[in-house]
Each structure stands twice: as C-alpha cells, then as structure tokens.
Amino acid sequence: MKLTPAIIASLAAGQDIQELKELNLSKKDINHIEDISVCVNLHKLNLSNNSLNSTDSIVGIQYLQSITLLNLSGNQLDSFEGVQRLKTLFVLNMSHNDLNRISIHIEKLVHLKALVLNNNRIKVVEHIGGLTDLNTIVLSHNKIQELPSFPRLTQLTKLSAAHNEIRQIPDLSENAMLKELRLNHNKLVSVPDSLRRCVALDILDLGGNMMREWSDIAPLGSLLRLTNLSMQGNPICQKPDYKKKILELVPSLRVLDGERFDPKFLQIKAKRAEHKETVEKMKKKKEDLEKKKLLKKIKRGEIDAKDVDKDLLAEADQFERKHKKKSKSSEKRKGHHDDSDNDNDSDDQEEDTSKLSKEERKARKAEKKALKEEKKKAAARKDAKHAQKSKEGGGGDKKSSKRARDEDDESEDNNNSQGRPKKKKSTSSSLFQGKGPRPLSAIMSTASSAFSSSNNKDDKDVQMEDAEKKANKAERQQAKKEKRKATKEAKKEAKKEAKKESKAAPKEKKVPTNIDEDNFFAKPSEEEIKSKKAKISKAALATPTSAKAGTTTAPASALGATTVTSEKPAPPPAPQPLDPADAAKARSGVVAVVDKSAQLAKKNKKPTFDISALESTTDSFGSGVSGWD
C-alpha cells in the first residue's frame, strides 16, 4: 500500500491534515511513502511493522520539516539513507531491521538524542561519536565484537549493548553522567578501573559473562551510587558467601540479581504475606461453617445424603471428628475446675440436645419444668416455716433469717427422696467428717462461704466503725476551716498595724529635684501679693521727696534701680499713674526669674524679691515672666 495524503486524510477521521501532530500507521502493510509534506505540524510518525525495504520506499519522509520522533522498527531497511534530511529529529528507532552497519548519513542528524538500533546485524559501531546531544544508545542483540569509547558524548546517560560478542568494557571515564549500563550476555572477563570514574552509575547489568574472581569486580567498590547490580550467570555467583561479600563491596545496593532487599520493600513484602495468611484463614473458617451447616441439614432431614457429593460429605465427617477430638481434650483439661460450681456440674451432666431426636428433647423439657415447679414449692415451704418460727420464738430468742433458712435447707435435704438427689452445700466442717478428699476448688468455695457468713455476723460492727470514721473526718475538716479563718484574721490585723505605724512615723523632707516640686516657681499667696502692691505704691509716691534733695530718678533696669544726681535742682515731676499692664501684673503677683541657686541650697526657704527688677522685667503684653509662658 502506498501512503498518500488522501489516505492520511481518510485515516484522520475528518481532522485537518495540516493540524495533525501525531500519526500512527503501524501494521498497515505500507511499502512506499509518497510526498506527505502537507502534514506541516506533524511531530510524531509511527511506521513500525510495515513492508518498507529500501531507501526509495521512504523518500516521502524527507520533506517533513517539523518531525521529532520517527519509528521505523519492524521493517526490512538496510541503510540510513533517506533520513539524513530530518534535521529536527530527536528520536530515531530503526530496531528489528536488516542494518549491517551504521552509515555516514546519520552524522547529519545533529540534534538526535536517542538512537535505538537493537535486533539488527551490526558488527561495527561508527559515525556516532559526533552526535553530542545523544543521551541514549541501544545496540543490544547485534554482532558487535568491540565497543568504542564516546569521549564527546558528555550527556550520555544510558548505554545498552547486551547480547553481543564484546570482550572488554570500553573507557567510559569521560561519560560522567552515565546512569545505566547494560552489558549482559557478552564475553566480558573483568571490570576495568576506568569504570570507577562513572560516579553517577545507578544500574549495572553484567550478568551472563565470564567473571570468576573477586579481583575481577573490585572496581565496583568505588560506585557509591550503585543500587541495582546483576551478576547472575557468572561463575563468581557460585562461590560461598557470594551475596554477603557483594553487599560488603557495594553497601549502597538495594537490588541484587533481580531480588530486592531494601527495608521498605521487605516491610511491604511481610505485610503482603500476613494479608495472604489472614485471607486463607478466613476462607477456611467459611468452609468449616458451610460443612457444619451441611451436616446439620442432613441430620434434621432437610437434605438427603444422596444428593450431596461424596467428597463434601467425607470432608465434613473429617472436620466433625477433628472438632470432637479438640472438644474432648479441652473438657479433660477443664474437668477438675468444674466441680466447684453447681451450675457447671449440672451443665456437664446434660448431653448435647443438638444430637437428640425431637421426642427426647420434649422429654428433657418436661423434666426441667417439673424440677422448676418442685424448687418453687420448696421455697414456699421454707417461707412458711420461717414465718411460724418467728411467731413462736420470743423477742430475745429470735434467730436471724439467714440461720433459719440454713436449718430449713438441711432438714429438707435429709427428708428429700424424690427427683434428683440434691448436692449438699459444702462447708468447712464437712471437710473433716471422714467423707473423703475433696478437690481444691471445693475447698476454696467452702472457705469463701464460711468467710462470708462470718462477715455477715459482724455487719453491725463494721457499720459502727464506718460511722466513727465519718465523724472523725468531719471534725478534721472543721478544724482545718477554723485554722484558715484564724490565719486570715491575723494577716488582716498585721496589715492594719503596719498602716498605723507608717502614719505615725515622721515624714522626711525631700529635697526638690524637679521644677514642679521647687517652691521658687510656686504661686505666691494673697498676703504676699498685698505687701508687694503696697511697696509698689510707696515707690511711686516717693518720687517728689527725692526731687527736693536735688536728685532725679532714671527708669529701673533689669539688674536693679539706679539713681542719677544733678547739680541744678529740677522741678518735681508730677506723679504718673501706673500702666494698666503693670497694674495687672502687680495684681497677679508674677515674679521675675532671678538666679537664686545659693538660696535654693538652704531647706526650702522662700527667696526675697527685688521690686525694681520686677518692674523692669515685666512684659508689656502681660503674658507672664519673660522666657516662660
């Protein structure tokens, strides 16, 4: 079949050919490919398992300019010709073909990253060393005798050349990123020292070779990241302690010869085994239950034994026999413990009702009913006798109800001759009346009954002791409460006395440290203001007297009042009234700031005021002392 754009359109199922990105044409019996360059956006093309056998048959592929993956495996191609123009190709798979060699055409695939050439007839590996982007090379199942080194392939991570005729591992020291190396089923004799430099190696398969001695694999000890190693099929595997020595040589291993033994995997494996065991046990239990049900139905007559398979019946019989043996052995072990309890004795005497017929079951039920009625009648007799004795006996000679019932039980047990013989209640006295040895369980039960009877006698004494304990406890609690109250009151009184002492103690005078504490800046009292007003008025009236003496007064300065004398007498000036601002300041009692550091050293003595300085330093706006608001 020829591959044409029309066929691709029919296979695309209505999708536009130009928008196709992937195309799978495997097993279509294609023998020739025409020009399919119409598929502009085609990235992945699968032509595996077809009938392409020459370079002419794949001519139509060379015009695909955006293809990245090409699969030509399973054809009859013998050359790489026709693929060299696909410069955008990343992955080329030409496995299972008739390739004899790797032709020079492959060197033009510069961006190739993965080359798969397994299952061909290649003898020599060439023309690959220049493809620097290669990270995967698969050359297994060929006829290669010598594998070259690849010093320029620095990005190589996987190399597989298994099932060939290689006799020596090449120098891979330049391939530092190599993680997987598969050289199994070759003719290798030893591991070279150059492999020590492949530090990133994680998976190494050297199985099916000819390595015999421990020295042949000594370089493996330098591979610290190696986790998966296969040496299966080498003569060295037959040596004693092979696994132990390999693990000592390469301690980082997690998988050896296909067997995983890391702790996480072992835990998972153990859990799976436990799960299987539990599932099997559950299945066995279900089968056993089904066998039991079968046997019961057969015994009841619901199912005929002829209708059931013989194998099932045989298995059911075997299961029943085993169950009976187990039940008998358990009864023998527990037989000596069942004598102490009367209920257990009665259960041992009864047979399994499941094995009896319907008539026998009815008879057993009738017997049980008769026994219950007899017990009820005996209880009624006991109550009647107890009532008669309580009426006949006096107040001081009355017996306790419990003793009367015990006497009635003994009398009835002696006179009882009908039905089953009732067992006498075991007491401590019966042990020493020559009636033979008793089991340990019976002795313990009698001792416990005797102990309980003695305790019943002393119930009143115990109640009195409990009442006394409660009273003592209540007294202790009251004493604790009183102590707590006394301690609280003592603390309160101590606090009151401390407060009184602090009030009575003389207070120490503190030296002012802040401006607010200093009395210099305190507001003057009303008496001081009045005295200052009087002094100001006197100073105003004293001006004419000074003129008579031939002196004239100048205005006061900031540091004090100064007088200037003249030879000629001047006429006395008329008295001038004070300014309203000065009068207001005089009324408010504002004081000028004067350096009084010497006076402040004394203990809080109020400084004297210089009236002339007060007059000269007052503000005309009446805003207070100059420099302060």
Side-chain angles (χ1 to χ4, degrees):
M1 184 180 78
K2 288 183 180 181
L3 183 64
T4 60
I7 292 169
I8 292 170
S10 63
L11 294 170
Q15 193 176 358
D16 190 4
I17 299 173
Q18 293 181 354
E19 294 179 357
L20 280 173
K21 292 184 179 180
E22 294 184 13
L23 190 60
N24 189 358
L25 299 172
S26 63
K27 297 180 181 180
K28 299 291 182 183
D29 199 16
I30 297 168
N31 56 12
H32 186 76
I33 301 170
E34 291 187 358
D35 186 7
I36 55 172
S37 59
V38 182
C39 303
V40 180
N41 294 316
L42 191 64
H43 295 304
K44 296 179 182 180
L45 179 60
N46 187 358
L47 293 167
S48 61
N49 300 309
N50 283 291
S51 301
L52 301 170
N53 55 10
S54 63
T55 56
D56 294 333
S57 61
I58 58 171
V59 172
I61 298 171
Q62 59 186 349
Y63 302 107
L64 297 172
Q65 298 299 323
S66 59
I67 191 164
T68 57
L69 187 147
L70 180 61
N71 189 353
L72 293 170
S73 63
N75 288 282
Q76 294 88 36
L77 297 170
D78 57 354
S79 175
F80 287 89
E81 193 176 354
V83 186
Q84 67 272 16
R85 292 187 181 182
L86 305 175
K87 294 182 180 180
T88 58
L89 201 63
F90 290 159
V91 180
L92 177 60
N93 187 353
M94 292 187 72
S95 61
H96 296 274
N97 278 282
D98 295 332
L99 297 171
N100 295 321
R101 61 190 180 89
I102 301 171
S103 62
I104 197 169
H105 301 94
I106 201 168
E107 289 183 355
K108 294 183 180 181
L109 304 176
V110 182
H111 299 291
L112 198 64
K113 293 184 178 180
L115 181 61
V116 182
L117 301 174
N118 59 292
N119 294 90
N120 282 286
R121 292 181 290 174
I122 298 169
K123 293 181 179 180
V124 180
V125 180
E126 53 187 353
H127 305 298
I128 296 176
L131 304 175
T132 54
D133 289 345
L134 269 177
N135 56 37
T136 303
I137 300 172
V138 180
L139 298 168
S140 56
H141 292 275
N142 281 286
K143 296 180 179 181
I144 301 166
Q145 295 181 356
E146 186 178 355
L147 191 67
S149 58
F150 306 102
R152 295 178 64 187
L153 304 183
T154 54
Q155 296 183 10
L156 189 65
T157 57
K158 180 179 178 180
L159 176 60
S160 177
H163 295 273
N164 281 287
E165 298 175 3
I166 300 168
R167 296 186 179 184
Q168 188 177 0
I169 298 173
D171 186 4
L172 300 171
S173 57
E174 298 295 332
N175 309 111
M177 296 179 68
L178 190 65
K179 292 182 179 179
E180 185 175 349
L181 179 61
R182 295 187 182 275
L183 297 171
N184 53 300
H185 294 91
N186 280 285
K187 296 180 180 180
L188 298 173
V189 179
S190 63
V191 178
D193 289 336
S194 60
L195 199 67
R196 294 179 187 270
R197 296 182 186 178
C198 298
V199 183
L201 202 62
D202 184 25
I203 299 169
L204 180 60
D205 192 353
L206 299 173
N209 282 287
M210 300 165 64
M211 298 177 190
R212 298 178 180 277
E213 302 296 331
W214 293 110
S215 59
D216 296 339
I217 59 169
L220 298 179
S222 301
L223 304 176
L224 302 176
R225 295 184 183 178
L226 191 64
T227 58
N228 190 338
L229 176 64
S230 179
M231 297 292 294
Q232 197 170 9
N234 283 281
I236 198 171
C237 297
Q238 297 177 1
K239 289 195 172 187
D241 298 334
Y242 157 73
K243 189 175 180 179
K244 185 179 179 182
K245 288 183 178 179
I246 284 284
L247 292 174
E248 287 176 358
L249 182 65
V250 190
S252 60
L253 281 179
R254 295 291 176 269
V255 182
L256 178 63
D257 297 336
E259 291 182 6
R260 194 172 174 179
F261 54 87
D262 57 309
K264 288 183 180 179
F265 178 75
L266 292 174
Q267 286 177 2
I268 294 165
K269 197 174 181 180
K271 285 180 181 179
R272 286 175 181 171
E274 288 177 0
H275 182 67
K276 283 182 180 178
E277 288 179 359
T278 52
V279 169
E280 288 176 358
K281 286 179 181 179
M282 293 293 289
K283 285 181 179 177
K284 285 182 180 179
K285 285 181 180 179
K286 285 181 181 179
E287 289 175 359
D288 295 341
L289 288 170
E290 288 176 357
K291 289 172 184 177
K292 283 182 180 179
K293 288 177 182 178
L294 261 175
L295 289 170
K296 285 180 180 179
K297 286 178 180 179
I298 290 164
K299 287 179 180 178
R300 289 172 187 172
E302 294 177 4
I303 299 171
D304 291 333
K306 296 178 181 178
D307 298 334
V308 184
D309 294 334
K310 292 181 180 180
D311 296 332
L312 285 172
L313 281 171
E315 288 177 359
D317 291 332
Q318 287 179 1
F319 174 74
E320 191 176 5
R321 288 171 187 173
K322 288 179 181 178
H323 186 67
K324 283 180 180 179
K325 286 180 180 178
K326 288 180 181 179
S327 61
K328 285 179 181 179
S329 62
S330 61
E331 284 176 1
K332 285 179 181 178
R333 289 174 185 174
K334 295 179 180 178
H336 64 280
H337 294 293
D338 296 334
D339 295 332
S340 59
D341 298 325
N342 292 323
D343 295 332
N344 294 333
D345 293 335
S346 62
D347 293 334
D348 292 334
Q349 289 174 4
E350 291 178 357
E351 294 179 356
D352 295 332
T353 57
S354 61
K355 297 178 182 179
L356 300 173
S357 62
K358 291 181 180 180
E359 294 177 357
E360 289 177 349
R361 287 176 188 171
K362 287 180 182 179
R364 281 288 176 86
K365 285 181 181 178
E367 287 179 2
K368 284 181 180 179
K369 285 181 181 179
L371 289 170
K372 284 180 182 179
E373 289 176 358
E374 287 178 2
K375 285 180 181 179
K376 285 180 182 179
K377 289 177 182 179
R381 289 172 191 168
K382 286 179 187 178
D383 294 332
K385 286 181 181 180
H386 181 65
Q388 287 177 2
K389 286 181 180 179
S390 62
K391 287 178 183 179
E392 290 173 0
D397 296 331
K398 283 182 181 180
K399 291 182 181 180
S400 65
S401 61
K402 198 165 187 180
R403 289 179 184 176
R405 285 175 186 171
D406 293 336
E407 288 176 1
D408 293 335
D409 291 337
E410 288 176 3
S411 63
E412 282 187 4
D413 291 334
N414 292 323
N415 296 323
N416 190 9
S417 61
Q418 294 177 356
R420 291 187 181 181
K422 290 187 179 180
K423 292 186 179 181
K424 289 184 179 180
K425 291 186 178 180
S426 60
T427 57
S428 59
S429 60
S430 65
L431 296 171
F432 305 101
Q433 291 177 0
K435 293 181 181 181
R438 298 287 298 278
L440 182 61
S441 59
I443 294 166
M444 294 299 291
S445 63
T446 53
S448 63
S449 63
F451 181 70
S452 63
S453 63
S454 63
N455 283 337
N456 288 326
K457 290 177 183 179
D458 298 333
D459 283 339
K460 292 181 180 180
D461 296 335
V462 172
Q463 289 176 359
M464 291 293 288
E465 288 177 0
D466 292 337
E468 288 177 358
K469 285 180 181 178
K470 287 180 181 178
N472 292 329
K473 193 174 184 179
E475 288 177 0
R476 288 173 189 169
Q477 289 179 353
Q478 287 179 358
K480 285 180 181 179
K481 287 180 181 179
E482 289 176 357
K483 283 182 181 180
R484 288 173 186 169
K485 287 181 181 179
T487 52
K488 286 181 181 179
E489 289 176 357
K491 286 179 180 179
K492 286 180 181 179
E493 289 178 357
K495 285 181 181 179
K496 288 179 181 179
E497 289 178 358
K499 286 180 180 179
K500 287 179 182 179
E501 288 177 358
S502 63
K503 287 179 181 179
K507 294 181 179 179
E508 294 180 357
K509 291 182 179 180
K510 294 181 179 179
V511 180
T513 57
N514 298 328
I515 294 169
D516 295 333
E517 295 177 2
D518 196 355
N519 291 325
F520 180 75
F521 297 99
K523 190 175 181 180
S525 62
E526 292 180 358
E527 293 178 357
E528 291 176 352
I529 292 165
K530 286 179 181 180
S531 63
K532 287 173 186 175
K533 284 180 181 180
K535 286 180 182 179
I536 291 164
S537 61
K538 284 179 182 180
L541 294 171
T543 51
T545 55
S546 60
K548 288 180 181 179
T551 59
T552 59
T553 60
S557 64
L559 298 173
T562 57
T563 57
V564 179
T565 58
S566 62
E567 293 179 358
K568 292 181 181 181
Q576 295 179 358
L578 289 169
D579 293 334
D582 295 336
K585 284 182 181 180
R587 277 189 238 110
S588 63
V590 177
V591 183
V593 178
V594 183
D595 188 10
K596 299 290 183 177
S597 58
Q599 293 179 358
L600 284 171
K602 297 178 183 179
K603 290 183 180 180
N604 297 324
K605 286 186 179 181
K606 292 181 181 179
T608 56
F609 297 94
D610 193 352
I611 295 164
S612 59
L614 179 66
E615 290 176 356
S616 62
T617 57
T618 53
D619 255 340
S620 60
F621 296 98
S623 60
V625 180
S626 61
W628 296 86
D629 291 335

